[in-house]
Amino acid sequence: MSEDGYVNYFEILALDESAKPGDVRKNYKKMMKDLIMEIARVEITGERRDRFLLEMAKLNAAFYVLRDNEVRETYWRQRAEVIQLESQWREAAQNGDAATDALRRSFDSKLRHFLSRYVEEAMLEAGRDKEAVEASNWDAAHERHASRILRHYRHNLYQQILDRLPYWEITTPRIDWVEREKAVAAMLAGER
Amino acid sequence: MARNREEIKPPVDYATVAGALAKSVYEGDIVNFRLLFAPFSPARQLSTELFDMPKYQYLLPDDGVVSEPRYREALDKVNQPEMRAFIQGELEANRPPQLPADLLLMLADNAVRMGKYTSAAQAYESLRIRSRMQQMFLDHANSALDRGDVPAGVRGYIISNGLAYDYAAFPEPLPAIPDFQTRALLLHADYPETPEACIAMADTGPLVQAALEYLLSPDVAGALSERPESLRLEFLAELVRQQDPHWTSFLGRYEEASTLADQFGTRLRATAGSMSLADEIQRELGEDPGRIPATLLGHTIEGGEWWQYLKELAYEHPAAALFVARQAVGDLEIIVPRHRPGSPIARALGIGAGAGVAEAG
């Protein structure tokens, strides 16, 4: 099963799950330095600014979550739980199990919580952390711009996960793409 | 309780349900479509709500709607035996309903036709085809521009851009520019220290670019940047007219406001921004320099600041924000009509076609 969409902070810092806090700090500082040097090297456009802010927020959050054993364990446990729920729901949906809807609801609620906590909140909290601020120069202006970007990022991750799950809100669509092309052409031609 | 309610409530007539569903599909209204399947829907036998209640009359088709071919098409679909059985099953089931994808697709297309892009975006999103549909509209729009069909190209860009909206579905068409309240103000964020320092006085190339970014989005403007300037100009003129069917009525008010502004035009060019100018303007206009923005807008905003006039003007006529400038008048700041003399953009849009007033520079 794909784990795409369930943000993996170990991957972001190029570490494995057994990494020690020292490794977390070392990789974070190196990667943040590289990122800052890249930012200084290129001309900043709107699109690049958004991308760099997101990259910076991800590194900060990865450091913030993984450097503390307790926070790291909670994060990793909650991530595993939500991934397992996805798997259980898929299986129940496939078998037409009566518990399908309850599992779907439980999964949706846990997924929303996981993404809010570890994508949006953790990234913003990390931006106020003393060590992260020192390494990344993150300030109030960064936070102001990043709020929108992080909200979109969270929304995209949520959508990315939902897109691969069984249809539950609507019946499975049968899309005829040849018909779609014709419909679009007719609409552009001004058909009412 | 459920049993009692069932006994009291007369059986729900499927013809009524079908009519209401077909109406929501015909109108591209995802809010009403969802409501009809909701637990409290009057379409459900177990709900206490009734279609006869005055508050639900808006859900039912009137004579004007029932004669529409797209309504008939939706009604035929809703009445197909398989679809009917499915809908009835969902309305009877005691669980969150599954919406029929075929009807949702019809609804999304109708929403696009009516300019209800948030509704269309949400319906396409549920079908998981939103980004592909967006791209398809964009591809068809580019093909239309390649063969010189600018109106179709503009329509495609407007739709593709509209489907990008992440706002909650709203049953009515949104303003042409959904976040006009910030985007129009950003065009006038800095006070122009000279008459030339405003967006309206920019050269043709930069003004077309800024206009496309403002009226559509920076991404869309970027996608058009490789096109010849003449095509971009034609595109912009068509875009303004498609986004604002009442543009011509605005032009009349623009001319009128320009005539007012022209009364002190010479002094405005010579001494823009100075206190003496403010005094002179006030002398010219009596005690009410607010007549200029009120004429532009078509009505007065009580105690209205320049930005309030600008916001409302941008709501009514999005492109109008490109042909005005901020002007200090004593303690007051107003917006005045302004455009570049001989500007191909102004010409293409009929700006200044009358007396040629309010031209600065």
PDB file of all heavy atoms in Angstrom, chain A residues 130-148:
ATOM      1  N   LYS A 130      13.343  28.173  19.119  1.00  0.00           N
ATOM      2  CA  LYS A 130      14.567  28.983  19.164  1.00  0.00           C
ATOM      3  C   LYS A 130      15.659  28.441  18.217  1.00  0.00           C
ATOM      4  O   LYS A 130      16.241  29.177  17.425  1.00  0.00           O
ATOM      5  CB  LYS A 130      15.083  29.008  20.606  1.00  0.00           C
ATOM      6  CG  LYS A 130      16.051  30.135  20.879  1.00  0.00           C
ATOM      7  CD  LYS A 130      16.474  30.122  22.328  1.00  0.00           C
ATOM      8  CE  LYS A 130      17.786  30.893  22.456  1.00  0.00           C
ATOM      9  NZ  LYS A 130      18.465  30.603  23.688  1.00  0.00           N
ATOM     10  N   GLU A 131      15.883  27.136  18.314  1.00  0.00           N
ATOM     11  CA  GLU A 131      16.952  26.544  17.494  1.00  0.00           C
ATOM     12  C   GLU A 131      16.631  26.631  16.003  1.00  0.00           C
ATOM     13  O   GLU A 131      17.506  26.905  15.170  1.00  0.00           O
ATOM     14  CB  GLU A 131      17.121  25.068  17.873  1.00  0.00           C
ATOM     15  CG  GLU A 131      18.376  24.803  18.685  1.00  0.00           C
ATOM     16  CD  GLU A 131      18.575  23.317  18.918  1.00  0.00           C
ATOM     17  OE1 GLU A 131      17.775  22.715  19.647  1.00  0.00           O
ATOM     18  OE2 GLU A 131      19.530  22.775  18.337  1.00  0.00           O
ATOM     19  N   ALA A 132      15.351  26.380  15.675  1.00  0.00           N
ATOM     20  CA  ALA A 132      14.951  26.428  14.267  1.00  0.00           C
ATOM     21  C   ALA A 132      15.039  27.848  13.738  1.00  0.00           C
ATOM     22  O   ALA A 132      15.476  28.075  12.601  1.00  0.00           O
ATOM     23  CB  ALA A 132      13.540  25.888  14.111  1.00  0.00           C
ATOM     24  N   VAL A 133      14.651  28.811  14.571  1.00  0.00           N
ATOM     25  CA  VAL A 133      14.719  30.217  14.151  1.00  0.00           C
ATOM     26  C   VAL A 133      16.182  30.591  13.877  1.00  0.00           C
ATOM     27  O   VAL A 133      16.506  31.258  12.892  1.00  0.00           O
ATOM     28  CB  VAL A 133      14.117  31.140  15.245  1.00  0.00           C
ATOM     29  CG1 VAL A 133      14.453  32.599  14.985  1.00  0.00           C
ATOM     30  CG2 VAL A 133      12.604  30.954  15.318  1.00  0.00           C
ATOM     31  N   GLU A 134      17.071  30.118  14.750  1.00  0.00           N
ATOM     32  CA  GLU A 134      18.492  30.425  14.603  1.00  0.00           C
ATOM     33  C   GLU A 134      19.055  29.860  13.293  1.00  0.00           C
ATOM     34  O   GLU A 134      19.794  30.518  12.573  1.00  0.00           O
ATOM     35  CB  GLU A 134      19.232  29.805  15.793  1.00  0.00           C
ATOM     36  CG  GLU A 134      20.542  30.499  16.127  1.00  0.00           C
ATOM     37  CD  GLU A 134      21.097  29.929  17.419  1.00  0.00           C
ATOM     38  OE1 GLU A 134      20.522  30.212  18.497  1.00  0.00           O
ATOM     39  OE2 GLU A 134      22.067  29.172  17.321  1.00  0.00           O
ATOM     40  N   ALA A 135      18.650  28.642  12.973  1.00  0.00           N
ATOM     41  CA  ALA A 135      19.199  27.999  11.772  1.00  0.00           C
ATOM     42  C   ALA A 135      18.552  28.499  10.491  1.00  0.00           C
ATOM     43  O   ALA A 135      19.187  28.553   9.438  1.00  0.00           O
ATOM     44  CB  ALA A 135      19.016  26.481  11.886  1.00  0.00           C
ATOM     45  N   SER A 136      17.271  28.852  10.557  1.00  0.00           N
ATOM     46  CA  SER A 136      16.552  29.163   9.308  1.00  0.00           C
ATOM     47  C   SER A 136      16.230  30.646   9.144  1.00  0.00           C
ATOM     48  O   SER A 136      15.777  31.052   8.079  1.00  0.00           O
ATOM     49  CB  SER A 136      15.243  28.375   9.268  1.00  0.00           C
ATOM     50  OG  SER A 136      14.399  28.795  10.335  1.00  0.00           O
ATOM     51  N   ASN A 137      16.454  31.438  10.193  1.00  0.00           N
ATOM     52  CA  ASN A 137      16.072  32.865  10.193  1.00  0.00           C
ATOM     53  C   ASN A 137      14.573  33.055   9.967  1.00  0.00           C
ATOM     54  O   ASN A 137      14.130  34.050   9.403  1.00  0.00           O
ATOM     55  CB  ASN A 137      16.846  33.652   9.118  1.00  0.00           C
ATOM     56  CG  ASN A 137      18.313  33.678   9.406  1.00  0.00           C
ATOM     57  OD1 ASN A 137      18.728  33.816  10.555  1.00  0.00           O
ATOM     58  ND2 ASN A 137      19.125  33.481   8.375  1.00  0.00           N
ATOM     59  N   TRP A 138      13.816  32.084  10.358  1.00  0.00           N
ATOM     60  CA  TRP A 138      12.355  32.145  10.184  1.00  0.00           C
ATOM     61  C   TRP A 138      11.801  33.248  11.080  1.00  0.00           C
ATOM     62  O   TRP A 138      12.170  33.347  12.245  1.00  0.00           O
ATOM     63  CB  TRP A 138      11.754  30.790  10.565  1.00  0.00           C
ATOM     64  CG  TRP A 138      10.306  30.628  10.269  1.00  0.00           C
ATOM     65  CD1 TRP A 138       9.259  31.028  11.027  1.00  0.00           C
ATOM     66  CD2 TRP A 138       9.732  29.994   9.112  1.00  0.00           C
ATOM     67  NE1 TRP A 138       8.069  30.689  10.425  1.00  0.00           N
ATOM     68  CE2 TRP A 138       8.325  30.053   9.250  1.00  0.00           C
ATOM     69  CE3 TRP A 138      10.253  29.377   7.969  1.00  0.00           C
ATOM     70  CZ2 TRP A 138       7.452  29.524   8.296  1.00  0.00           C
ATOM     71  CZ3 TRP A 138       9.383  28.856   7.031  1.00  0.00           C
ATOM     72  CH2 TRP A 138       7.999  28.929   7.189  1.00  0.00           C
ATOM     73  N   ASP A 139      10.942  34.100  10.537  1.00  0.00           N
ATOM     74  CA  ASP A 139      10.376  35.168  11.370  1.00  0.00           C
ATOM     75  C   ASP A 139       8.870  35.317  11.117  1.00  0.00           C
ATOM     76  O   ASP A 139       8.273  34.515  10.404  1.00  0.00           O
ATOM     77  CB  ASP A 139      11.113  36.502  11.133  1.00  0.00           C
ATOM     78  CG  ASP A 139      11.029  36.940   9.682  1.00  0.00           C
ATOM     79  OD1 ASP A 139      10.129  36.464   8.972  1.00  0.00           O
ATOM     80  OD2 ASP A 139      11.871  37.750   9.260  1.00  0.00           O
ATOM     81  N   ALA A 140       8.303  36.386  11.682  1.00  0.00           N
ATOM     82  CA  ALA A 140       6.841  36.569  11.577  1.00  0.00           C
ATOM     83  C   ALA A 140       6.390  36.708  10.124  1.00  0.00           C
ATOM     84  O   ALA A 140       5.310  36.247   9.741  1.00  0.00           O
ATOM     85  CB  ALA A 140       6.428  37.799  12.373  1.00  0.00           C
ATOM     86  N   ALA A 141       7.240  37.349   9.299  1.00  0.00           N
ATOM     87  CA  ALA A 141       6.867  37.531   7.883  1.00  0.00           C
ATOM     88  C   ALA A 141       6.803  36.175   7.176  1.00  0.00           C
ATOM     89  O   ALA A 141       5.912  35.919   6.367  1.00  0.00           O
ATOM     90  CB  ALA A 141       7.882  38.429   7.196  1.00  0.00           C
ATOM     91  N   HIS A 142       7.784  35.302   7.505  1.00  0.00           N
ATOM     92  CA  HIS A 142       7.754  33.942   6.931  1.00  0.00           C
ATOM     93  C   HIS A 142       6.441  33.260   7.308  1.00  0.00           C
ATOM     94  O   HIS A 142       5.786  32.640   6.492  1.00  0.00           O
ATOM     95  CB  HIS A 142       8.910  33.095   7.479  1.00  0.00           C
ATOM     96  CG  HIS A 142      10.238  33.457   6.914  1.00  0.00           C
ATOM     97  ND1 HIS A 142      11.040  34.396   7.501  1.00  0.00           N
ATOM     98  CD2 HIS A 142      10.909  32.995   5.831  1.00  0.00           C
ATOM     99  CE1 HIS A 142      12.164  34.492   6.804  1.00  0.00           C
ATOM    100  NE2 HIS A 142      12.112  33.665   5.783  1.00  0.00           N
ATOM    101  N   GLU A 143       6.102  33.389   8.594  1.00  0.00           N
ATOM    102  CA  GLU A 143       4.908  32.695   9.089  1.00  0.00           C
ATOM    103  C   GLU A 143       3.653  33.202   8.387  1.00  0.00           C
ATOM    104  O   GLU A 143       2.773  32.421   8.025  1.00  0.00           O
ATOM    105  CB  GLU A 143       4.783  32.874  10.603  1.00  0.00           C
ATOM    106  CG  GLU A 143       3.549  32.172  11.151  1.00  0.00           C
ATOM    107  CD  GLU A 143       3.569  32.007  12.666  1.00  0.00           C
ATOM    108  OE1 GLU A 143       4.661  31.939  13.248  1.00  0.00           O
ATOM    109  OE2 GLU A 143       2.484  31.928  13.243  1.00  0.00           O
ATOM    110  N   ARG A 144       3.619  34.521   8.184  1.00  0.00           N
ATOM    111  CA  ARG A 144       2.455  35.115   7.532  1.00  0.00           C
ATOM    112  C   ARG A 144       2.270  34.532   6.127  1.00  0.00           C
ATOM    113  O   ARG A 144       1.195  34.129   5.733  1.00  0.00           O
ATOM    114  CB  ARG A 144       2.629  36.634   7.475  1.00  0.00           C
ATOM    115  CG  ARG A 144       1.356  37.379   7.613  1.00  0.00           C
ATOM    116  CD  ARG A 144       1.491  38.859   7.891  1.00  0.00           C
ATOM    117  NE  ARG A 144       2.605  39.515   7.257  1.00  0.00           N
ATOM    118  CZ  ARG A 144       3.644  40.018   7.912  1.00  0.00           C
ATOM    119  NH1 ARG A 144       3.708  39.918   9.212  1.00  0.00           N
ATOM    120  NH2 ARG A 144       4.626  40.631   7.272  1.00  0.00           N
ATOM    121  N   HIS A 145       3.363  34.492   5.371  1.00  0.00           N
ATOM    122  CA  HIS A 145       3.281  33.955   4.005  1.00  0.00           C
ATOM    123  C   HIS A 145       3.033  32.448   4.010  1.00  0.00           C
ATOM    124  O   HIS A 145       2.340  31.920   3.161  1.00  0.00           O
ATOM    125  CB  HIS A 145       4.584  34.231   3.247  1.00  0.00           C
ATOM    126  CG  HIS A 145       4.724  35.654   2.834  1.00  0.00           C
ATOM    127  ND1 HIS A 145       3.821  36.278   2.010  1.00  0.00           N
ATOM    128  CD2 HIS A 145       5.654  36.583   3.136  1.00  0.00           C
ATOM    129  CE1 HIS A 145       4.200  37.531   1.827  1.00  0.00           C
ATOM    130  NE2 HIS A 145       5.298  37.745   2.508  1.00  0.00           N
ATOM    131  N   ALA A 146       3.665  31.780   4.992  1.00  0.00           N
ATOM    132  CA  ALA A 146       3.622  30.314   4.984  1.00  0.00           C
ATOM    133  C   ALA A 146       2.247  29.763   5.359  1.00  0.00           C
ATOM    134  O   ALA A 146       1.899  28.661   4.939  1.00  0.00           O
ATOM    135  CB  ALA A 146       4.672  29.754   5.931  1.00  0.00           C
ATOM    136  N   SER A 147       1.459  30.519   6.106  1.00  0.00           N
ATOM    137  CA  SER A 147       0.167  29.992   6.566  1.00  0.00           C
ATOM    138  C   SER A 147      -0.663  29.479   5.395  1.00  0.00           C
ATOM    139  O   SER A 147      -1.195  28.377   5.416  1.00  0.00           O
ATOM    140  CB  SER A 147      -0.629  31.072   7.285  1.00  0.00           C
ATOM    141  OG  SER A 147       0.110  31.525   8.364  1.00  0.00           O
ATOM    142  N   ARG A 148      -0.754  30.301   4.333  1.00  0.00           N
ATOM    143  CA  ARG A 148      -1.551  29.919   3.172  1.00  0.00           C
ATOM    144  C   ARG A 148      -0.924  28.704   2.471  1.00  0.00           C
ATOM    145  O   ARG A 148      -1.611  27.754   2.105  1.00  0.00           O
ATOM    146  CB  ARG A 148      -1.617  31.110   2.199  1.00  0.00           C
ATOM    147  CG  ARG A 148      -2.300  30.816   0.890  1.00  0.00           C
ATOM    148  CD  ARG A 148      -2.201  32.015  -0.049  1.00  0.00           C
ATOM    149  NE  ARG A 148      -0.826  32.464  -0.289  1.00  0.00           N
ATOM    150  CZ  ARG A 148      -0.022  31.928  -1.214  1.00  0.00           C
ATOM    151  NH1 ARG A 148      -0.447  30.941  -1.956  1.00  0.00           N
ATOM    152  NH2 ARG A 148       1.213  32.384  -1.382  1.00  0.00           N
TER     153      ARG A 148
END
